[in-house]
Each structure stands twice: as structure tokens, then as C-alpha cells.
Amino acid sequence: MIFQQSLYSQKEIVGKVEFYKSIESDWKRLESLPDQAIKNLSNKIHKLEIEQNNQITQLKTDSNGIFKIRTELTDSIKITFNDYSPAFTEKFEFDLSQVKDTLKLKISDKKLCIYMDSISVPKFYEKYNEKQAELDFKNGEKKLLGIGIDWRTEESIQRSKEIESEYEIKYEYIWQASHEKIRIMYRYNQIMKKLIGINKNVW
């Protein structure tokens, strides 16, 4: 009887890995990964570790990023995604009573992009990463990073002047900024904007 009740309390759940862009923009130089790269990341084999009722099960998705698990409906489930790689790993926890259809593991490409950018321009990343933005703010160095170009529009120039005046900060302009540097600058600015309290476009 206990065995039958255990079977009735179990359910096979279908899951799907879905990567998404951490930066969506019409300006392609600012975007993280291209559409095809996001699709390729979603549709490949990934390693998963499933924990429920103090039991751990390891499995892999198929080549489309799909997996199936049999779970106890009476307990939450923890899933560790690709724990072998700091650039990919993510942790999830689900209340199975709220799962109606497919269990989707939505994963940002941010960790991977940060890793790629840090490899491409290591010195620049060390100087302007997100943790450095927090340290700069803490040390009273409130600034925003701007892209140094000779053909800035009047609108862009006016916006920068207004922001500098309103928030009593200065722009530090980076010349010859590559795609990788622009993404690092954007992430630095996002942290600095939040800490200063700026709720507007700064570029």
C-alpha cells in the first residue's frame, strides 16, 4: 500500500533549457550574444543535478535541451545546471505544485558574456567590472563611462551635460572602445546608475 501511494504521489515532468539575452538592444554592438548563439546554447546537451527529498540524481538533457524527471509532488525540487563551469552554472528551486506544464530553466547569457569579455580584454575588465563600480562608488568616485567618439550628436552632448550637472558626477570617456569594452562599460554604468539613483539613459 505504501508502494502504491508513493507511485501515485509521483509525476514525470518534462523540462526545457532556455537561454536568453542579458542585454536586448537595437544597437548590436551593445547586445550580448547573437540570436543564433542563444539558440545554439538552448539546443544542446547540458548536465543537470536534481535534488529532492535528500536524494541527488544526475542526468543530461538531450541535444534539444529537453529532459524528463520523475519527482515527488509533495516536496520542492532543486536543480543545479552545469555545475562544472563557472561561466554556465545556475541553481533553481521549484515548488512542484505550481508546475502546470513544461518546467523551464531560463538562463541568462550574462555569466558567459562576462567571462568572454574578461578573457578578451582582461586589463580593461579588471579596471571597470561591476565589483569595481561598487568600490568606486563606496570610495566616493562617482562617475559614468562614456564612449569617446568625434561625431557625438548635440542631443548626446546635452544629455551628458545635464546628467553631470544634476547628479554632480563626471563622465570618463573611453576611446576606441571595442564590442567587449562597450559591454563592460554598460554593465559598469548599470551598477553606478543604480547606486547614484539615475533612472534615465546615460548614453
Side-chain angles (χ1 to χ4, degrees), residues 180-195:
E180 294 83 3
K181 287 183 178 181
I182 288 173
R183 287 193 294 264
I184 293 169
M185 292 163 62
Y186 174 83
R187 291 191 291 262
Y188 180 101
N189 282 352
Q190 289 298 99
I191 296 297
M192 192 63 75
K193 281 174 58 178
K194 182 177 180 180
L195 293 172

Side-chain angles (χ1 to χ4, degrees), residues 159-174:
R159 182 190 302 121
S160 300
K161 288 181 178 179
E162 289 176 355
I163 290 174
E164 286 182 328
S165 175
E166 180 178 356
Y167 296 98
E168 297 182 345
I169 62 170
K170 288 292 183 181
Y171 274 81
E172 179 179 330
Y173 288 94
I174 309 297

Side-chain angles (χ1 to χ4, degrees), residues 54-186:
N54 296 320
Q55 292 185 338
I56 296 177
T57 304
Q58 294 184 340
L59 55 87
K60 292 181 179 180
T61 69
D62 65 14
S63 58
N64 294 312
I66 296 173
F67 60 95
K68 293 181 181 180
I69 51 176
R70 179 164 288 280
T71 65
E72 296 284 346
L73 297 178
T74 56
D75 196 10
S76 62
I77 183 172
K78 296 179 181 179
I79 301 177
T80 301
F81 172 84
N82 284 347
D83 62 351
Y84 64 88
S85 170
F88 275 105
T89 189
E90 292 288 348
K91 294 183 182 294
F92 300 87
E93 184 168 3
F94 298 96
D95 182 347
L96 293 179
S97 64
Q98 298 175 354
V99 178
K100 304 301 181 184
D101 192 7
T102 304
L103 182 66
K104 294 184 179 180
L105 303 185
K106 293 185 176 292
I107 302 165
S108 167
D109 69 352
K110 183 177 179 179
K111 281 186 179 180
L112 178 58
C113 288
I114 289 175
Y115 176 75
M116 292 168 58
D117 293 342
S118 69
I119 295 295
S120 297
V121 283
K123 291 183 179 180
F124 189 86
Y125 174 76
E126 184 178 353
K127 187 175 182 179
Y128 297 114
N129 62 65
E130 291 174 276
K131 288 184 178 179
Q132 188 59 50
E134 294 177 350
L135 286 174
D136 288 346
F137 178 83
K138 184 178 180 180
N139 294 329
E141 190 178 349
K142 301 176 183 178
K143 65 183 179 184
L144 292 169
L145 304 179
I147 302 172
I149 51 177
D150 293 323
W151 36 271
R152 290 180 64 198
T153 64
E154 288 297 328
E155 179 185 357
S156 173
I157 294 172
Q158 184 61 30
R159 182 190 302 121
S160 300
K161 288 181 178 179
E162 289 176 355
I163 290 174
E164 286 182 328
S165 175
E166 180 178 356
Y167 296 98
E168 297 182 345
I169 62 170
K170 288 292 183 181
Y171 274 81
E172 179 179 330
Y173 288 94
I174 309 297
W175 295 84
Q176 299 179 333
S178 63
H179 293 197
E180 294 83 3
K181 287 183 178 181
I182 288 173
R183 287 193 294 264
I184 293 169
M185 292 163 62
Y186 174 83

